[in-house]
Amino acid sequence: MTHFIYPGKPVRGSESGNPIMTLFDLLGRRWAMGVLWQLCSGGPCTFRELQDRCESISPAVLNSRIRDLRQAKLLERGECGYQVTDLGKQIITSLYPLKDLAEQWVSKLQEIESE
């Protein structure tokens, strides 16, 4: 069972609980980013639909991630099921430049391998 982490408390990689490290700890949990990504890209959905979107996620892990993300105010339950909050959307949107950088990195690695 996971326990919710709060900024200012020790987390993986930070004894001080620096807010960015706390966020990385939360988002680094198994399937946390996948759940947020699926809800941002596909819109709100029920538990079952979310489980289908995530394909290989177990119900126990999905329950745990939903609980963590709701406690972090990144996910909420709406009329159509689970949905990302405005803050959750901001976090995902802020990761797009990192996604682009990751794709450039892969291209560089592929260039090196083909030499």
Side-chain angles (χ1 to χ4, degrees):
M1 180 175 165
T2 61
H3 297 286
F4 185 69
I5 39 101
Y6 293 93
K9 303 281 184 187
V11 296
R12 291 179 296 171
S14 175
E15 286 297 316
S16 68
N18 181 299
I20 188 73
M21 295 303 290
T22 304
L23 180 61
F24 284 160
D25 188 333
L26 174 65
L27 296 178
R29 292 178 180 179
R30 188 172 42 152
W31 278 105
M33 286 293 301
V35 168
L36 279 177
W37 204 271
Q38 288 298 327
L39 289 170
C40 278
S41 62
C45 65
T46 65
F47 182 92
R48 258 310 161 206
E49 291 168 331
L50 185 55
Q51 187 178 9
D52 288 344
R53 285 186 198 175
C54 293
E55 297 175 8
S56 64
I57 193 169
S58 73
V61 171
L62 181 54
N63 268 322
S64 184
R65 288 306 81 85
I66 287 171
R67 183 176 49 251
D68 293 344
L69 295 169
R70 285 182 77 182
Q71 285 181 305
K73 307 299 185 207
L74 304 181
L75 190 83
E76 63 190 5
R77 181 104 176 145
E79 290 180 15
C80 298
Y82 294 104
Q83 60 191 29
V84 179
T85 63
D86 287 340
L87 183 57
K89 289 175 189 170
Q90 286 180 300
I91 288 172
I92 291 297
T93 301
S94 72
L95 294 174
Y96 289 147
L98 187 58
K99 178 183 176 284
D100 294 339
L101 185 59
E103 289 170 3
Q104 291 174 25
W105 174 61
V106 168
S107 293
K108 279 289 186 201
L109 289 176
Q110 289 170 343
E111 285 175 21
I112 292 169
E113 286 179 3
S114 66
E115 292 177 355

